[in-house]
């Protein structure tokens, strides 16, 4: 028999038994929808986790800390740069035993009772991915300030309660903080900023050990993955900090121990190997990739559990297919006998019944996939608030494909679509295997005589 003849007989058989076919397809449909929706929710959890980690900082950065005899010095910096896959290394240092006070404006009108000053390798800022909002990367003698640096200052002229700018503005209508941040008292790029240093051992009334005017070259975007100083601190080149400390302590030190070193990998896949190599050198490390892997492991377990619950429905559907095909074989004994009497090959008869079972699985899978996509879009639209404010084209695209800052609850990936269809087809074929074998064992003469 030609394949086209077998296909035509398969479709004719399914049409003749519409009621039974529809009910069996419905079982596969329910099972397929259960699996897809359950797994898609797990994928949505993974997307939410990735979004959360991305908001927390750069996942390609590894933070390195000293461990016992393993010092963070210039030799360590060179060792890290030599590791394969490392694109940049950023040593960091602090002012150690000195507290910081900051002043700005004419006659020190604006003041901050504390400040975070961090020494960084200014030449590596761009390679490390520090993003500038205004200005340029610092040269020697210049500093970079965090995005919200100016909000730490108070106005010494204004009365209590009005002498500071709160960047967190509560919106009563939306019951959330406003996305629009009010302007601070001054712009650090155009206003004189002065730093005073005091030893922690000295009192507040003690004259400062150092008073230095800062030349602010730029304002960097907040990124906690690169350090808290990108939000509210001051970033000074390490060489400038070394000179400052040598002047304060009247020393001529050329060696410098760092508080921490940031290592940037060329991509996320290289992070694990680089981090392990740094650990092998005897250092402590921390990276968002480590957190991401732990969360991914938990998500995979949840996905397997949810997928297993959905698979139970498909297993019930498989039993239904087996039952349907077994009944079909019993009802079509004469047809099978005639096919054998006419010289049909056994493999063609087996293929016919396997094709019928597979068709039931595939049809149920296709319908289940289409319905699951609609349900997934509906869930995401609801989570995005579309049903309260109206469905727009932009919201529909976000519900279907996501977007920057958008974490969907249900995510149906292309891989999941292919898996669902393939799994439904395989379940159908396997469910029809036993009935197909039963069909080919029917004796032609016995079948015709019994009918």
């Amino acid at each position: 028999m030609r394949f086209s003849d077998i296909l035509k007989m398969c479709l004719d058989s399914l049409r003749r038994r519409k009621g039974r076919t529809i009910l069996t397809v419905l079982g596969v449909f329910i099972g397929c929808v259960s699996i897809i929706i359950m797994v898609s929710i797990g994928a949505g959890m993974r997307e939410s986790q990735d979004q959360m980690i991305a908001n927390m900082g750069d996942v390609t950065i590894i933070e390195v800390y000293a461990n016992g005899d393993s010092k963070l010095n210039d030799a360590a910096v060179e060792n890290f740069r030599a590791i394969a896959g490392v694109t940049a290394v950023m040593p960091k240092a602090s002012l150690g035993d000195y507290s910081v006070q900051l002043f700005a404006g004419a006659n020190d009108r604006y003041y901050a009772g504390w400040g975070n000053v961090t020494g960084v390798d200014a030449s590596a800022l761009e390679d490390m991915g520090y993003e500038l909002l205004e200005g340029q990367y610092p040269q020697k003698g210049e500093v970079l300030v965090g995005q919200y640096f100016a909000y730490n200052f108070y106005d010494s002229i204004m009365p209590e309660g009005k002498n500071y700018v709160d960047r967190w503005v509560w919106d009563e209508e939306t019951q959330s903080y406003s996305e629009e941040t009010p302007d601070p008292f001054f712009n650090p790029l155009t206003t004189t900023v002065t730093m005073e240093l005091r030893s922690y051992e000295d009192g507040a009334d003690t004259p400062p050990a150092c008073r230095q005017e800062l030349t602010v070259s730029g304002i960097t975007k907040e990124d906690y993955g690169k350090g808290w100083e990108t939000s509210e601190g001051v970033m000074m080149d390490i060489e400038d900090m070394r000179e400052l400390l040598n002047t304060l302590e009247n020393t001529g030190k050329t060696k410098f121990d760092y508080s921490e070193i940031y290592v940037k990998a060329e991509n996320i896949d290289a992070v694990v190997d680089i981090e392990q190599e740094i650990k092998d050198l005897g250092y402590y490390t921390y990276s968002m990739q480590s957190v991401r892997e732990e969360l991914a492991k938990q998500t995979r377990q949840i996905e397997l559990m949810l997928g297993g619950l959905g698979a139970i429905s498909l297993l019930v559907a498989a039993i239904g297919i087996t039952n349907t095909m077994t009944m079909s074989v019993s009802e079509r004994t004469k047809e099978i006998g005639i096919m054998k009497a006419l010289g049909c090959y056994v493999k063609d008869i087996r293929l016919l019944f396997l094709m019928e079972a597979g068709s039931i699985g595939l049809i149920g899978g296709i319908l289940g996939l289409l319905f699951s996509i609609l349900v997934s879009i509906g869930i995401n639209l609801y989570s995005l608030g579309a049903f309260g404010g109206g469905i727009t084209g932009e919201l529909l695209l976000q519900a279907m494909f996501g977007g920057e800052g958008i974490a969907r609850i249900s995510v149906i990936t292309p891989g999941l679509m292919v898996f669902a269809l393939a799994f439904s087809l395989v379940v159908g074929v396997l469910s029809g295997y036993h009935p197909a074998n039963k069909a080919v064992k029917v004796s032609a003469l016995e079948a015709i005589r019994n009918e």
Side-chain angles (χ1 to χ4, degrees), residues 360-374:
I360 291 173
L362 185 59
I363 293 170
I366 293 173
L367 295 176
L369 175 60
L370 295 175
F371 184 76
S372 298
I373 292 173
L374 293 176

Side-chain angles (χ1 to χ4, degrees), residues 31-92:
C32 187
V33 169
S34 299
I35 288 182
I36 295 175
I37 294 299
M38 291 290 191
V39 175
S40 74
I41 291 174
M45 292 175 60
R46 187 166 59 248
E47 183 175 271
S48 297
Q49 290 170 356
D50 289 344
Q51 188 73 50
M52 176 189 69
I53 290 173
N55 291 336
M56 292 173 66
D58 192 338
V59 294
T60 62
I61 287 181
I62 303 166
E63 300 173 25
V64 185
Y65 301 95
N67 178 18
D69 295 332
S70 300
K71 303 297 182 183
L72 293 178
N73 48 30
D74 292 329
V77 172
E78 294 305 316
N79 288 336
F80 299 158
R81 284 180 178 150
I83 298 174
V86 172
T87 59
V89 177
M90 167 71 78
K92 289 189 175 186

Side-chain angles (χ1 to χ4, degrees), residues 55-305:
N55 291 336
M56 292 173 66
D58 192 338
V59 294
T60 62
I61 287 181
I62 303 166
E63 300 173 25
V64 185
Y65 301 95
N67 178 18
D69 295 332
S70 300
K71 303 297 182 183
L72 293 178
N73 48 30
D74 292 329
V77 172
E78 294 305 316
N79 288 336
F80 299 158
R81 284 180 178 150
I83 298 174
V86 172
T87 59
V89 177
M90 167 71 78
K92 289 189 175 186
S94 66
L95 286 173
D97 298 329
Y98 295 90
S99 64
V100 179
Q101 284 186 307
L102 297 165
F103 300 89
N107 300 318
D108 294 342
R109 173 176 176 175
Y110 307 107
Y111 67 95
W114 59 274
N116 175 29
V117 179
T118 302
V120 297
D121 182 356
S123 63
L125 287 169
E126 189 171 3
D127 291 336
M128 288 295 295
Y130 282 75
E131 186 178 341
L132 294 181
L133 297 176
E134 294 183 65
Q136 60 187 12
Y137 292 103
Q139 303 296 320
K140 183 171 177 57
E142 297 178 334
V143 299
L144 200 64
V145 298
Q147 181 173 354
Y148 301 110
F149 167 78
Y151 291 92
N152 288 332
F153 287 77
Y154 290 81
D155 189 339
S156 58
I157 297 178
M158 299 293 287
E160 188 75 24
K162 295 184 179 181
N163 60 344
Y164 68 95
V165 177
D166 189 353
R167 65 186 177 95
W168 301 103
V169 180
W170 183 258
D171 190 329
E172 291 293 343
E173 290 186 7
T174 62
Q175 289 296 298
S176 63
Y177 287 105
S178 174
E179 295 182 1
E180 296 184 7
T181 305
D183 293 330
F185 287 130
F186 65 92
N187 184 345
L189 293 176
T190 57
T191 306
T192 302
V193 177
T194 304
M195 173 180 68
E196 285 188 358
L197 299 182
R198 284 182 174 80
S199 171
Y200 284 116
E201 297 176 357
D202 296 334
D205 297 331
T206 305
C210 169
R211 180 179 170 87
Q212 179 175 324
E213 187 173 305
L214 302 177
T215 303
V216 180
S217 68
I219 300 174
T220 185
K221 183 178 180 181
E222 181 183 59
D223 185 349
Y224 286 112
K226 295 181 177 65
W228 181 78
E229 63 274 5
T230 60
S231 177
E232 301 177 358
V234 177
M235 284 154 279
M236 173 186 294
D237 186 73
I238 279 184
E239 292 304 317
D240 291 336
M241 181 173 284
R242 191 197 311 262
E243 292 176 8
L244 176 61
L245 290 175
N246 284 341
T247 300
L248 287 171
E249 298 169 3
N250 196 24
T251 62
K253 292 181 179 179
T254 56
K255 293 185 178 181
F256 206 67
D257 284 345
Y258 306 114
S259 56
E260 57 187 319
I261 297 177
Y262 280 15
V263 177
K264 186 174 178 64
E266 59 185 1
N267 54 56
I268 194 170
D269 297 326
V271 171
V272 175
D273 292 336
I274 294 173
E275 190 169 5
Q276 186 58 54
E277 195 163 343
I278 293 174
K279 287 179 179 178
D280 292 341
L281 292 173
Y283 297 94
Y284 287 125
T285 65
Y286 172 82
S287 71
M288 295 307 299
Q289 176 63 7
S290 304
V291 178
R292 185 172 180 266
E293 285 187 346
E294 257 331 291
L295 292 174
K297 189 184 298 182
Q298 295 176 10
T299 303
R300 281 194 295 270
Q301 293 174 348
I302 294 173
E303 283 181 325
L304 287 173
M305 181 182 70

Side-chain angles (χ1 to χ4, degrees), residues 30-32 34-36 38 305-315:
I30 294 172
C32 187
S34 299
I35 288 182
I36 295 175
M38 291 290 191
M305 181 182 70
L306 294 175
L309 293 173
I312 294 174
S313 301
L314 202 53
L315 176 62

